[in-house]
Every structure is written in structure tokens, then in C-alpha cells.
Amino acid sequence: MANFATLAAIFAALLVMSHAASAHRTTITTVEIDEDNERSRRGSCHEQVQTQGLEQCEQLMMDIGRGGSRMGGGERERLMHSKHFRPCCQQLRQVEERCRCQGIRQVVREEQSEFSREGMQRVARSARDLPSACGFSSPRRCETDPFGSETLASS
């Protein structure tokens, strides 16, 4: 009978310990963030610009930068009279609104070695007004500093 009492006491102790252990159980929840999916959904502006190409905008900036005084008129007129203007606007429409200025700045940066200082200033002014000339409501202007720092103005 003493063995039975000892066995019952051990069983009771195990039962209490088991209950105590389950009462203090910690639940760990893991959350997996699918960063690749999020990145691909949003896409980086650089990737969008690379995918879209913006070759027509490059040609447009070449027209402006090399046009000199021959083209006459202001930057907006120079923009709109180039045969590359409308195709450039079409290409920019394919780029997300938030990425358009970055794309325009990238085009200016890639082409800047082709121009004189005066030509580069014309390109910078034209690039600034390109979204508005294309009829985009946002951004209306893209600030580009052809000689260094860049800022974006979405007015």
C-alpha cells in the first residue's frame, strides 16, 4: 500500500508539473515578409525607367541641347516643336507618376556630356517643364541642376 501511495504521489506531482508547464507555455508567432513580392509590386523607379527606355526623351533632349538659337522661342516651344516631343510624353506616361522626374533627370544626366554649358542650361530648363508641357498634373515640374545637385519639385 505504501508503494501505491508513493506511486500516486509521483503521478499527482507529474500531473501538477505538466499542468504548470502548459500554463506557462509561450506561443511564438512568426511573420514572414515577402520583400521580393513587395519590391516587384512597387518596382524601383530606376527599374521602371530602364524598362521603359525613354529613348524618345533622350532624342528630345538632344534636339534641345544642340538646337541653339536656330530653334528660336522659349524652352517650351522648343520642346513642343520637336518630332520627339509627343513620343517622349507617351513614354513618360508609361512610367509611374512618382518616378517621372527621376526618369527625366536620368535622361539629362546621361546626355549632359553632349552639350555645351549653354546647351545644358537649355536642356535643364526644358526638362524642368517637360511634365507640364506633356499635360501631366503631377508632377508639373522636375527640378534638375545640370551641374551637380538635384531636387524634385512636385508642384
Side-chain angles (χ1 to χ4, degrees):
M1 182 84 167
N3 282 342
F4 180 71
T6 306
L7 199 53
I10 292 173
F11 180 72
L14 286 174
L15 188 60
V16 169
M17 285 175 44
S18 165
H19 181 68
S22 68
H24 291 9
R25 185 177 316 163
T26 302
T27 303
I28 298 174
T29 305
T30 59
V31 176
E32 219 175 286
I33 299 173
D34 190 352
E35 290 178 1
D36 290 337
N37 187 30
E38 181 65 18
R39 266 192 224 115
S40 67
R41 185 182 63 79
R42 284 183 296 136
S44 77
C45 288
H46 180 74
E47 289 169 353
Q48 278 191 45
V49 171
Q50 291 302 107
T51 301
Q52 187 53 41
L54 302 182
E55 293 87 10
Q56 294 297 320
C57 295
E58 289 174 14
Q59 290 300 314
L60 176 61
M61 292 302 125
M62 295 296 276
D63 289 351
I64 300 299
R66 291 185 177 156
S69 59
R70 290 179 287 144
M71 293 182 81
E75 280 74 27
R76 192 173 186 103
E77 289 79 21
R78 288 186 187 121
L79 275 173
M80 298 177 91
H81 287 101
S82 169
K83 68 179 180 180
H84 300 288
F85 172 69
R86 289 198 190 284
C88 171
C89 292
Q90 283 301 112
Q91 286 182 332
L92 285 172
R93 268 187 190 75
Q94 303 304 312
V95 174
E96 277 184 54
E97 201 175 274
R98 68 182 178 88
C99 299
R100 286 179 185 149
C101 286
Q102 183 174 336
I104 292 168
R105 283 192 297 267
Q106 187 172 323
V107 166
V108 169
R109 213 174 13 254
E110 288 171 2
E111 302 302 324
Q112 71 184 10
S113 65
E114 301 291 321
F115 311 120
S116 66
R117 184 172 182 89
E118 181 184 310
M120 194 58 225
Q121 288 172 339
R122 282 193 308 271
V123 166
R125 287 188 301 263
S126 296
R128 176 192 65 209
D129 294 330
L130 183 57
S132 175
C134 286
F136 300 136
S137 59
S138 177
R140 304 240 347 121
R141 294 177 71 143
C142 297
E143 293 302 328
T144 59
D145 177 355
F147 308 107
S149 64
E150 301 171 336
T151 57
L152 165 68
S154 298
S155 47

